[in-house]
Each structure stands twice: as structure tokens, then as C-alpha cells.
Amino acid sequence: MDRLEIVRHVSFAQQLRPATLAAIADIAHERSVERGTIITMEGEPASAMYLIASGRVKIVRHSPEGREQILHVVTPIDHFNTVPVFGGGACPATTEALQPSLLLVLPRDQMRQLTQQHPELSMALLGEFANRLRMLVGLVENLALHTVNSRLARLLLQQAEAAERGEQPPQMTQAEMAAHIGSVREMVGRALKTFEGAGLISIERGALQIIDRDGLEQQADL
């Protein structure tokens, strides 16, 4: 794997100078994980941040009752566990590999040293943190201001758009859909039946297809 090429395409690194990119690549080491591997655990010390070379990783929080809320799904040329590395404290969420994944591990202490040696890296990360904050504000707004039907319709449309871009998102179970939209499987099941009854989608042998996109967008409040 060309570590420098991976680093070069990560969002916060795209405007960095070659010397800064090379310094990040030099401290990185590779880690391969299988599907289901827990990479970081909520509440544990943050020892590193991670870049994804291949695969997919979900970032989740769990309630005391065991309910799962998926905060984000990290895909190739993206990063995670970045905030606690620089903000201190424990990992704010658990991260789990959704499929076999190849990661670049950037140790905490070395990354902190690099921000002192390369001030442009500090500014790039500050901008990245601002973008992540906007994403989390959007997540809170979605959970607080939209119904389960609306949130589910948005998820289905997002999946369809990803497929149109050639990303081939994996088919999700009702429990996984619920984890994405902050609900429970029973509510998702009822919403899917409502959409199917209204002719918005069809479900055959577990495969879901959007039939009426405009109608689904109305359900999503778009």
C-alpha cells in the first residue's frame, strides 16, 4: 500500500505541502482488521487516529439498554477517532469494522508533535473539526425534528444515491436501518410497510426497490 497516496487524498490533508504529507505517512503503520473487529471502545483512552485505505467502519454509541445509534459510517480515504487524539479524554464512541478493512494507524503522541512542527496541519485539522461539528448538528436536528418515516425515507434515498454513484452500499437489515436513524426495528418495519402500501417501494425476497422517488422525497420532507 502506498501510504503517502492514502494520506494525500484524506480530506484534511488535500491542501498540505509535500513535506507535511510525507511526515504523516512516515509515522503511519498498517493494520488489517476483520469484519466485526472492535477498533476503539467508547470510554477507553484514545491512543491513535485512523485513516481507512479500504473497507468500511461504523462509529456507534450504545444506550444502557443496548440500543445502538450509528453516528457515521467511515469509508475509504476518510478518518476517525481524530477528536479525542487532540482534545484529550476518552474515545467518545465505539468503532467497529463492517467488513474486512485496511487501516493506517497514526499514533496520538506523534500526531501531536507533527501539529507543532507543521502549523498548517493544525489549521487543516481545525477546519475538519468544524465540518464534523456541522455533521453532528445535522444529526441532532434530524433526530429531533423529523419523524421515523421521514428519517427512514432519507436513509433509503441516500442509499439509492450512493448506488447511483457506483458505491454499491450493502443491503441493510431492519435492525441496521433502525440503528442508522435512531429508532427500533419494529418502528422501521411498520414504516416500510406503510411505504410499500403507498406504492413508494417494493420488497421482494428481502430486496428493496424504490418505485416512486418523488413520493419518497415527500415523505423525507425534502
Side-chain angles (χ1 to χ4, degrees), residues 1-154:
M1 176 177 58
D2 188 336
R3 290 177 295 172
L4 181 57
E5 192 64 17
I6 297 297
V7 171
R8 190 192 313 278
H9 288 89
V10 175
S11 54
F12 68 81
Q14 292 178 10
Q15 303 301 319
L16 298 179
R17 294 177 298 171
T20 306
L21 295 172
I24 297 172
D26 285 344
I27 68 168
H29 62 271
E30 300 174 20
R31 179 184 174 188
S32 296
V33 295
E34 296 300 319
R35 183 177 185 269
T37 300
I38 301 298
I39 302 162
T40 67
M41 181 70 73
E42 179 182 343
E44 291 187 351
S47 61
M49 61 177 285
Y50 302 83
L51 313 183
I52 295 190
S54 64
R56 297 168 73 247
V57 171
K58 66 177 178 179
I59 302 175
V60 300
R61 291 289 299 265
H62 294 94
S63 72
E65 298 78 23
R67 276 185 54 190
E68 179 179 277
Q69 169 67 58
I70 296 179
L71 303 176
H72 186 51
V73 174
V74 192
T75 54
I77 321 299
D78 202 351
H79 60 97
F80 63 94
N81 211 48
T82 309
V83 171
V85 164
F86 295 99
C91 297
T94 296
T95 55
E96 178 184 341
L98 289 172
Q99 60 191 59
S101 302
L102 181 59
L103 311 175
L104 283 185
V105 184
L106 303 176
R108 177 193 59 197
D109 293 343
Q110 290 170 280
M111 277 298 293
R112 287 183 171 185
Q113 290 174 4
L114 287 185
T115 59
Q116 296 174 0
Q117 297 165 0
H118 301 269
E120 62 169 340
L121 176 58
S122 298
M123 293 304 298
L125 287 167
L126 184 60
E128 192 76 359
F129 294 157
N131 290 334
R132 293 298 165 99
L133 179 59
R134 291 190 190 97
M135 182 192 74
L136 289 175
V137 168
L139 176 62
V140 172
E141 178 186 9
N142 193 37
L143 291 172
L145 302 180
H146 297 280
T147 65
V148 170
N149 283 23
S150 175
R151 300 200 301 269
L152 180 58
R154 289 183 177 212

Side-chain angles (χ1 to χ4, degrees), residues 179-190:
H180 273 276
I181 67 171
S183 185
V184 294
R185 184 183 60 80
E186 293 76 12
M187 292 290 290
V188 167
R190 285 199 286 271

Side-chain angles (χ1 to χ4, degrees), residues 195-196 198-204 208-216:
F195 292 167
E196 190 172 25
L200 305 181
I201 63 172
S202 67
I203 303 176
E204 295 183 8
L208 187 151
Q209 181 179 0
I210 296 177
I211 303 299
D212 182 355
R213 189 163 189 153
D214 289 342
L216 200 60

